[in-house]
Amino acid sequence: MHIGVLEDDIEQQALYKLWLGSAQHTCGCYDSVKTFTAALQRERFDLLLLDWVLPESSGEAALKWVRENMGWDIPVIFVTSRDTERDVVTGLNAGADDYLTKPVRVMELLARINTLSRRVQVQQS
């Protein structure tokens, strides 16, 4: 899978590249909603990972843009430090397909990516 990552922390981006690469995925990492949405207009991703807390905007704004401009076919996982029940519900109700809190457990992240990947493959059949 080719995965789009919205994450402003450079060290976390490096971890995503390592983890996703070890599972035979490729990724493009972006540190702002502006660069992320620009990439979405020129590049095709199979799944998106979004941080919620960003310096100039939010993952929630990015998710809104994705759903309005790309529809509901692309799976989206929030990966964020926001961990209250209200945050999780807000993210899911906003259109995320899954929600993980930081610190990320790599095996769980990869399992959730694989789960969403199976669902997308069935829908495309």
Side-chain angles (χ1 to χ4, degrees), residues 63-78:
L63 177 59
K64 182 178 183 204
W65 186 95
V66 166
R67 293 305 184 217
E68 288 175 354
N69 293 279
M70 300 181 71
W72 291 84
D73 292 338
I74 189 163
V76 176
I77 302 174
F78 263 122

Side-chain angles (χ1 to χ4, degrees), residues 71-85:
W72 291 84
D73 292 338
I74 189 163
V76 176
I77 302 174
F78 263 122
V79 183
T80 179
S81 60
R82 295 183 64 158
D83 63 356
T84 68
E85 182 179 16

Side-chain angles (χ1 to χ4, degrees), residues 49-121:
L49 298 179
L50 306 180
D51 187 11
W52 190 322
V53 181
L54 300 161
E56 91 302 340
S57 189
S58 71
E60 191 174 13
L63 177 59
K64 182 178 183 204
W65 186 95
V66 166
R67 293 305 184 217
E68 288 175 354
N69 293 279
M70 300 181 71
W72 291 84
D73 292 338
I74 189 163
V76 176
I77 302 174
F78 263 122
V79 183
T80 179
S81 60
R82 295 183 64 158
D83 63 356
T84 68
E85 182 179 16
R86 180 177 297 242
D87 291 332
V88 174
V89 170
T90 298
L92 294 172
N93 284 337
D97 296 287
D98 207 343
Y99 194 105
L100 291 168
T101 57
K102 294 177 182 176
V104 177
R105 297 182 299 207
V106 63
M107 290 175 59
E108 181 180 2
L109 173 64
L110 294 175
R112 289 174 186 262
I113 288 170
N114 288 336
T115 297
L116 286 171
S117 172
R118 286 192 304 266
R119 186 178 327 146
V120 168
Q121 290 172 0

